[in-house]
């Protein structure tokens, strides 16, 4: 079976946005257990990606890492941001191991290279070997080494989307990407979850953003949706769910009904 | 300047061999400061590799990771050994950052693949980019994903030696590999440091091992020397020093006289 689901644990879901370097151990533990329980009921292959949240946030802003190597301090920024992201990833992996999962970190800055913020090349042999063995590869939002501007921020969405496309090209059936965040998907102007969002609906919806401030697209939701739209056009679905609600992640993995926004062609 | 020195912080030097998951913070801190001070005096490019010592040792033995994927538990072993090694590496990187170094982890299991325990392929773009920026790449003894036997143990020596050869092929001048351990180099039958060891001397010396138990080759010293001999034949020197003695590492980096064994052609 080569059916794959890629899952993001959102940074806002697993860390306390108001305090640097503070994870949410209870939420992380529950998400890992939901994942482990779902895995026992299904033979689907899974890849996890965790966002960085309040771990790399402060140094990434301080050193303006997303802008590239802009001054001498940028080198320090790369080092400090990478360390911060790696520290949170170890907390996630520890809980995955505790939940019985054979989780293996694949450190994006070690096996990917970007060009102007987009992933240009990646060494995929390890992740393919891990999937073959039904192990659980874990990637995470990281600093990226960039051919053009020196460095960048590699978002978890970009990493998972890149991997999803590469796996599809290699004959894997990518069922979907699940983004577990802190909202019940994408909200309409009345604050109600849009259950299905197509590229056509989104182009209309995006125009509304300019004229209406009632639509909740805060917290990088636009980035998430835009990335998902690109993927939808290539035949890969994204499901945005609220990871705070117990059971949502497990249901989403098992393809049971769950409140959220499905982004598809 | 493309002069490179590769340095190993030995596992026995930085961890307490008698207690699992116990690092030696004072020693680690001092080594990182010696490195940072030497770097200020020299333009040499440096790559650090840290051994795993008592962190991955116990799970690696329990799951027999070096033997490959031998049973169902082997998958668990890969995950647990990788986590243990990564945990120690974070401690090392934290101290390197504290010493002012722009240290960046390159996680070997993410960018290298082995075949029967030997490194077969590696994604070298990130390490080359980091050296270009005069940053400090940090690798470490890790689990290896193996094309032939599923998994293996990737020793820090193997990783550093591989990188040294690849850098040499790309026009870097590899000055030497420094192995900072817990002995003053390799001892002769009277317990005296052999200051220089050539392949000819070693083949004679190796024979003595069979007939004499007076030579101190414990703690994987034979493995280290054999790896170094292979490298010496290809024109790269290895210097084995005692990292416990304050100042030794700094002197070795600055190419000042230091007690130890130099392995060269």
């Amino acid at each position: 079976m080569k059916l794959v689901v890629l899952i993001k644990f959102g940074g806002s879901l697993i860390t306390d946005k108001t305090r640097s370097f503070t994870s949410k151990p209870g939420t992380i533990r529950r998400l890992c257990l939901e994942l482990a329980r779902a895995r026992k009921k299904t033979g689907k292959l899974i890849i996890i990606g965790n966002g960085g949240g309040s771990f790399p946030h402060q140094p990434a802003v301080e050193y303006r890492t997303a802008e590239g190597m802009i001054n001498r301090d940028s080198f320090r920024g790369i080092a400090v941001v990478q360390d911060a992201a790696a520290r949170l990833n170890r907390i996630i992996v520890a809980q995955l191991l505790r939940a019985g999962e054979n989780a293996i970190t694949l450190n994006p800055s070690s096996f990917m290279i970007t060009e102007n913020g987009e992933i240009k090349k990646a060494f995929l042999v390890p992740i393919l070997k891990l999937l073959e063995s039904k192990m659980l590869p874990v990637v995470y939002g990281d600093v990226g080494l960039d051919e053009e501007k020196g460095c960048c921020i590699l978002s978890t969405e970009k990493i998972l989307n890149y991997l999803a496309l590469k796996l599809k090209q290699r004959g894997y059936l990518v069922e979907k990407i699940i983004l577990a965040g802190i909202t019940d998907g994408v909200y309409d102007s009345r604050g109600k979850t849009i259950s299905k969002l197509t590229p056509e609906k989104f182009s209309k919806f995006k125009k509304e953003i300019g004229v209406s401030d009632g639509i909740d697209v805060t917290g990088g939701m636009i980035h998430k949706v835009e990335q998902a739209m690109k993927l939808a056009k290539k035949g890969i679905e994204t499901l945005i769910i609220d990871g705070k609600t117990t059971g949502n992640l497990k249901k989403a993995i098992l393809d049971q009904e769950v409140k959220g926004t499905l982004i598809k062609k």
Side-chain angles (χ1 to χ4, degrees), chain A:
Chain A
M1 160 113 81
K2 288 184 125 193
L3 189 61
V4 189
V5 177
L6 299 95
I7 301 167
K8 182 190 175 191
F9 293 172
S12 308
L13 176 64
I14 56 176
T15 69
D16 185 339
K17 271 284 197 189
T18 64
R19 285 185 293 180
S20 281
F21 298 104
T22 310
S23 70
K24 292 185 174 168
T27 305
I28 295 168
R29 175 102 182 109
R30 180 180 50 74
L31 290 169
C32 296
L33 285 173
E34 284 193 37
L35 169 82
R37 280 170 195 151
R39 285 256 281 181
K40 277 196 187 139
K41 296 197 178 188
T42 173
K44 292 173 190 170
L45 302 173
I46 290 181
I47 295 170
I48 296 285
N50 72 268
S54 70
F55 277 66
H57 182 76
Q58 184 263 328
V61 169
E62 183 185 340
Y63 292 101
R64 296 157 62 191
T65 307
E67 295 174 43
M69 283 189 191
I70 52 171
N71 57 43
R72 286 299 306 167
D73 288 341
S74 299
F75 302 110
R76 184 73 184 164
I78 294 173
V80 174
V81 171
Q82 199 217 29
D83 178 58
R87 280 158 65 183
L88 177 59
N89 177 254
R90 294 259 58 80
I91 295 173
I92 306 299
V93 169
Q95 288 299 338
L96 286 168
L97 289 171
R98 212 179 137 195
E101 288 295 324
N102 296 334
I104 287 272
T105 294
L106 293 176
N107 165 224
S109 42
S110 298
F111 80 99
M112 294 183 147
I113 206 88
T114 61
E115 189 172 72
N116 276 320
E118 301 299 323
I119 299 164
K120 191 188 164 193
K121 220 186 153 194
F123 185 60
L124 296 174
V125 189
I127 204 164
L128 294 171
K129 277 204 72 65
L130 293 173
L131 290 177
E132 234 175 70
S133 306
K134 296 192 162 62
M135 293 188 68
L136 183 68
V138 186
V139 293
Y140 56 98
D142 198 3
V143 69
L145 298 175
D146 197 284
E147 297 275 30
E148 203 54 52
K149 56 184 188 171
C151 61
C152 69
I153 294 293
L154 253 177
S155 74
T156 316
E157 282 84 4
K158 277 193 181 166
I159 298 167
L160 291 184
N161 290 3
Y162 179 90
L163 293 175
L165 284 172
K166 288 290 169 186
L167 289 175
K168 196 176 176 224
Q169 285 165 14
R170 279 159 202 263
Y172 284 82
L173 184 63
V174 180
E175 189 192 83
K176 65 181 169 248
I177 293 189
I178 299 170
L179 303 181
I182 52 168
T183 65
D184 277 321
V186 185
Y187 298 150
D188 65 15
S189 54
R190 293 164 300 149
K192 232 189 111 198
T193 297
I194 301 166
S195 61
K196 199 178 143 190
L197 201 52
T198 58
E200 296 76 34
K201 215 166 160 185
F202 181 59
S203 54
K204 190 182 140 223
F205 170 81
K206 245 178 106 176
K207 277 180 219 142
E208 278 178 40
I209 298 168
V211 292
S212 161
D213 55 1
I215 299 160
D216 180 11
V217 283
T218 55
M221 186 60 93
I222 272 286
H223 171 73
K224 284 180 186 62
V225 175
E226 276 174 345
Q227 293 288 322
M229 282 300 159
K230 280 189 205 164
L231 218 58
K233 286 171 190 162
K234 289 172 183 160
I236 296 172
E237 302 179 5
T238 298
L239 176 65
I240 305 180
I241 58 163
D242 184 355
K244 294 196 310 304
T245 304
T246 300
N248 268 2
L249 177 65
K250 189 179 165 198
K251 281 183 206 158
I253 296 170
L254 295 177
D255 224 14
Q256 295 167 353
E257 199 166 320
V258 57
K259 200 171 180 183
T261 301
L262 184 66
I263 296 167
K264 63 181 292 187
K265 212 165 27 179

Short mmCIF file of all heavy atoms in Angstrom, two decimals, chain A residues 171-201:
data_model
loop_
_atom_site.label_atom_id
_atom_site.label_comp_id
_atom_site.label_asym_id
_atom_site.label_seq_id
_atom_site.Cartn_x
_atom_site.Cartn_y
_atom_site.Cartn_z
N GLY A 171 4.77 7.66 -7.86
CA GLY A 171 3.77 6.59 -7.84
C GLY A 171 3.04 6.39 -6.53
O GLY A 171 2.22 5.49 -6.40
N TYR A 172 3.34 7.22 -5.52
CA TYR A 172 2.57 7.14 -4.28
C TYR A 172 1.21 7.79 -4.51
O TYR A 172 1.09 8.74 -5.29
CB TYR A 172 3.29 7.88 -3.15
CG TYR A 172 4.47 7.13 -2.58
CD1 TYR A 172 5.71 7.17 -3.22
CD2 TYR A 172 4.34 6.37 -1.41
CE1 TYR A 172 6.80 6.47 -2.72
CE2 TYR A 172 5.43 5.68 -0.90
CZ TYR A 172 6.65 5.74 -1.55
OH TYR A 172 7.72 5.05 -1.05
N LEU A 173 0.19 7.28 -3.82
CA LEU A 173 -1.13 7.89 -3.90
C LEU A 173 -1.25 8.82 -2.69
O LEU A 173 -1.40 8.36 -1.55
CB LEU A 173 -2.20 6.79 -3.86
CG LEU A 173 -3.64 7.27 -4.02
CD1 LEU A 173 -3.85 7.92 -5.40
CD2 LEU A 173 -4.61 6.10 -3.85
N VAL A 174 -1.12 10.13 -2.95
CA VAL A 174 -1.18 11.08 -1.83
C VAL A 174 -2.65 11.38 -1.53
O VAL A 174 -3.33 12.06 -2.31
CB VAL A 174 -0.40 12.36 -2.16
CG1 VAL A 174 -0.47 13.35 -0.99
CG2 VAL A 174 1.06 12.04 -2.47
N GLU A 175 -3.17 10.85 -0.43
CA GLU A 175 -4.59 11.01 -0.11
C GLU A 175 -4.90 12.47 0.18
O GLU A 175 -5.82 13.05 -0.39
CB GLU A 175 -4.95 10.14 1.08
CG GLU A 175 -6.44 10.08 1.33
CD GLU A 175 -6.78 9.47 2.67
OE1 GLU A 175 -6.75 10.20 3.69
OE2 GLU A 175 -7.05 8.26 2.70
N LYS A 176 -4.14 13.06 1.06
CA LYS A 176 -4.34 14.48 1.40
C LYS A 176 -3.25 14.98 2.34
O LYS A 176 -2.50 14.20 2.92
CB LYS A 176 -5.71 14.68 2.06
CG LYS A 176 -5.86 13.99 3.40
CD LYS A 176 -7.24 14.21 3.99
CE LYS A 176 -7.47 13.30 5.18
NZ LYS A 176 -8.47 12.27 4.98
N ILE A 177 -3.25 16.29 2.44
CA ILE A 177 -2.44 16.95 3.47
C ILE A 177 -3.42 17.44 4.53
O ILE A 177 -4.44 18.05 4.20
CB ILE A 177 -1.63 18.11 2.86
CG1 ILE A 177 -0.60 17.54 1.89
CG2 ILE A 177 -0.98 18.96 3.96
CD1 ILE A 177 0.41 18.54 1.36
N ILE A 178 -3.14 17.14 5.79
CA ILE A 178 -3.98 17.62 6.87
C ILE A 178 -3.23 18.73 7.60
O ILE A 178 -2.11 18.52 8.08
CB ILE A 178 -4.31 16.49 7.89
CG1 ILE A 178 -5.06 15.35 7.19
CG2 ILE A 178 -5.13 17.05 9.06
CD1 ILE A 178 -5.20 14.09 8.07
N LEU A 179 -3.83 19.92 7.65
CA LEU A 179 -3.22 21.01 8.43
C LEU A 179 -4.02 21.15 9.72
O LEU A 179 -5.17 21.61 9.71
CB LEU A 179 -3.26 22.33 7.65
CG LEU A 179 -2.59 22.35 6.27
CD1 LEU A 179 -2.70 23.75 5.64
CD2 LEU A 179 -1.11 21.96 6.38
N ALA A 180 -3.42 20.71 10.82
CA ALA A 180 -4.10 20.81 12.12
C ALA A 180 -3.67 22.11 12.78
O ALA A 180 -2.53 22.27 13.20
CB ALA A 180 -3.74 19.61 13.00
N GLY A 181 -4.60 23.07 12.83
CA GLY A 181 -4.30 24.39 13.39
C GLY A 181 -5.22 24.71 14.54
O GLY A 181 -5.60 23.82 15.31
N ILE A 182 -5.56 26.00 14.65
CA ILE A 182 -6.39 26.42 15.79
C ILE A 182 -7.74 27.01 15.36
O ILE A 182 -8.42 27.65 16.14
CB ILE A 182 -5.63 27.44 16.67
CG1 ILE A 182 -5.09 28.60 15.83
CG2 ILE A 182 -4.47 26.76 17.40
CD1 ILE A 182 -4.58 29.78 16.65
N THR A 183 -8.11 26.81 14.08
CA THR A 183 -9.45 27.22 13.65
C THR A 183 -10.12 26.04 12.94
O THR A 183 -9.42 25.16 12.42
CB THR A 183 -9.40 28.41 12.65
OG1 THR A 183 -8.75 27.95 11.44
CG2 THR A 183 -8.62 29.58 13.20
N ASP A 184 -11.44 26.06 12.90
CA ASP A 184 -12.18 25.00 12.18
C ASP A 184 -12.10 25.26 10.68
O ASP A 184 -13.12 25.41 10.01
CB ASP A 184 -13.66 25.04 12.62
CG ASP A 184 -13.89 24.27 13.93
OD1 ASP A 184 -13.27 23.21 14.10
OD2 ASP A 184 -14.68 24.75 14.77
N GLY A 185 -10.93 25.35 10.15
CA GLY A 185 -10.77 25.60 8.72
C GLY A 185 -10.82 27.08 8.39
O GLY A 185 -10.47 27.93 9.22
N VAL A 186 -11.25 27.38 7.17
CA VAL A 186 -11.33 28.76 6.69
C VAL A 186 -12.75 29.27 6.92
O VAL A 186 -13.72 28.56 6.61
CB VAL A 186 -10.98 28.83 5.18
CG1 VAL A 186 -10.93 30.29 4.71
CG2 VAL A 186 -9.64 28.15 4.93
N TYR A 187 -12.88 30.46 7.48
CA TYR A 187 -14.21 31.01 7.77
C TYR A 187 -14.71 31.92 6.66
O TYR A 187 -13.91 32.60 6.00
CB TYR A 187 -14.16 31.81 9.08
CG TYR A 187 -13.79 30.99 10.29
CD1 TYR A 187 -13.11 31.57 11.38
CD2 TYR A 187 -14.11 29.63 10.37
CE1 TYR A 187 -12.77 30.83 12.50
CE2 TYR A 187 -13.77 28.87 11.49
CZ TYR A 187 -13.09 29.47 12.56
OH TYR A 187 -12.75 28.74 13.65
N ASP A 188 -16.02 31.96 6.47
CA ASP A 188 -16.59 32.92 5.53
C ASP A 188 -16.83 34.25 6.26
O ASP A 188 -16.45 34.40 7.43
CB ASP A 188 -17.87 32.38 4.87
CG ASP A 188 -19.00 32.19 5.86
OD1 ASP A 188 -18.91 32.73 6.99
OD2 ASP A 188 -19.97 31.48 5.53
N SER A 189 -17.47 35.20 5.56
CA SER A 189 -17.60 36.55 6.13
C SER A 189 -18.48 36.56 7.39
O SER A 189 -18.44 37.50 8.18
CB SER A 189 -18.17 37.51 5.09
OG SER A 189 -19.38 36.98 4.58
N ARG A 190 -19.27 35.49 7.59
CA ARG A 190 -20.10 35.43 8.80
C ARG A 190 -19.44 34.58 9.89
O ARG A 190 -20.05 34.24 10.90
CB ARG A 190 -21.48 34.86 8.46
CG ARG A 190 -22.32 35.79 7.55
CD ARG A 190 -23.48 35.01 6.94
NE ARG A 190 -22.98 33.90 6.13
CZ ARG A 190 -23.62 32.73 5.96
NH1 ARG A 190 -24.77 32.51 6.52
NH2 ARG A 190 -23.08 31.79 5.21
N GLY A 191 -18.16 34.18 9.63
CA GLY A 191 -17.46 33.39 10.63
C GLY A 191 -17.82 31.91 10.61
O GLY A 191 -17.54 31.17 11.53
N LYS A 192 -18.45 31.49 9.54
CA LYS A 192 -18.85 30.08 9.41
C LYS A 192 -17.82 29.33 8.57
O LYS A 192 -17.30 29.86 7.58
CB LYS A 192 -20.23 30.00 8.74
CG LYS A 192 -21.26 29.16 9.53
CD LYS A 192 -22.53 28.93 8.71
CE LYS A 192 -22.67 27.48 8.29
NZ LYS A 192 -23.59 27.25 7.19
N THR A 193 -17.52 28.10 8.95
CA THR A 193 -16.54 27.31 8.20
C THR A 193 -17.00 27.06 6.77
O THR A 193 -18.14 26.64 6.54
CB THR A 193 -16.33 25.95 8.90
OG1 THR A 193 -15.77 26.19 10.19
CG2 THR A 193 -15.40 25.05 8.10
N ILE A 194 -16.11 27.33 5.82
CA ILE A 194 -16.36 26.97 4.41
C ILE A 194 -15.93 25.51 4.27
O ILE A 194 -14.75 25.19 4.44
CB ILE A 194 -15.52 27.85 3.46
CG1 ILE A 194 -15.85 29.34 3.68
CG2 ILE A 194 -15.73 27.45 2.02
CD1 ILE A 194 -14.86 30.29 3.03
N SER A 195 -16.87 24.62 4.03
CA SER A 195 -16.50 23.19 4.08
C SER A 195 -15.69 22.75 2.87
O SER A 195 -14.88 21.84 2.95
CB SER A 195 -17.74 22.31 4.25
OG SER A 195 -18.60 22.51 3.16
N LYS A 196 -15.92 23.43 1.73
CA LYS A 196 -15.14 23.05 0.53
C LYS A 196 -14.73 24.31 -0.21
O LYS A 196 -15.54 25.20 -0.44
CB LYS A 196 -15.97 22.15 -0.37
CG LYS A 196 -15.13 21.37 -1.36
CD LYS A 196 -15.99 20.45 -2.20
CE LYS A 196 -15.45 20.40 -3.62
NZ LYS A 196 -16.35 19.70 -4.53
N LEU A 197 -13.47 24.38 -0.55
CA LEU A 197 -12.95 25.56 -1.24
C LEU A 197 -12.24 25.10 -2.52
O LEU A 197 -11.28 24.34 -2.47
CB LEU A 197 -11.97 26.27 -0.30
CG LEU A 197 -11.63 27.75 -0.53
CD1 LEU A 197 -12.87 28.62 -0.65
CD2 LEU A 197 -10.76 28.26 0.61
N THR A 198 -12.75 25.57 -3.65
CA THR A 198 -12.13 25.22 -4.93
C THR A 198 -11.35 26.45 -5.44
O THR A 198 -11.56 27.55 -4.94
CB THR A 198 -13.23 24.89 -5.98
OG1 THR A 198 -14.09 26.04 -6.09
CG2 THR A 198 -14.05 23.68 -5.56
N PRO A 199 -10.47 26.26 -6.40
CA PRO A 199 -9.73 27.41 -6.94
C PRO A 199 -10.68 28.52 -7.42
O PRO A 199 -10.42 29.70 -7.20
CB PRO A 199 -8.92 26.80 -8.09
CG PRO A 199 -8.70 25.39 -7.68
CD PRO A 199 -9.96 24.98 -6.97
N GLU A 200 -11.80 28.15 -8.05
CA GLU A 200 -12.76 29.16 -8.55
C GLU A 200 -13.35 29.95 -7.37
O GLU A 200 -13.41 31.18 -7.39
CB GLU A 200 -13.91 28.49 -9.33
CG GLU A 200 -13.46 27.77 -10.60
CD GLU A 200 -12.77 26.44 -10.31
OE1 GLU A 200 -13.16 25.77 -9.34
OE2 GLU A 200 -11.80 26.10 -11.01
N LYS A 201 -13.80 29.21 -6.37
CA LYS A 201 -14.40 29.83 -5.19
C LYS A 201 -13.37 30.74 -4.50
O LYS A 201 -13.71 31.82 -4.01
CB LYS A 201 -14.83 28.71 -4.24
CG LYS A 201 -16.11 28.99 -3.46
CD LYS A 201 -16.60 27.68 -2.84
CE LYS A 201 -17.55 27.91 -1.67
NZ LYS A 201 -17.90 26.62 -1.04
#
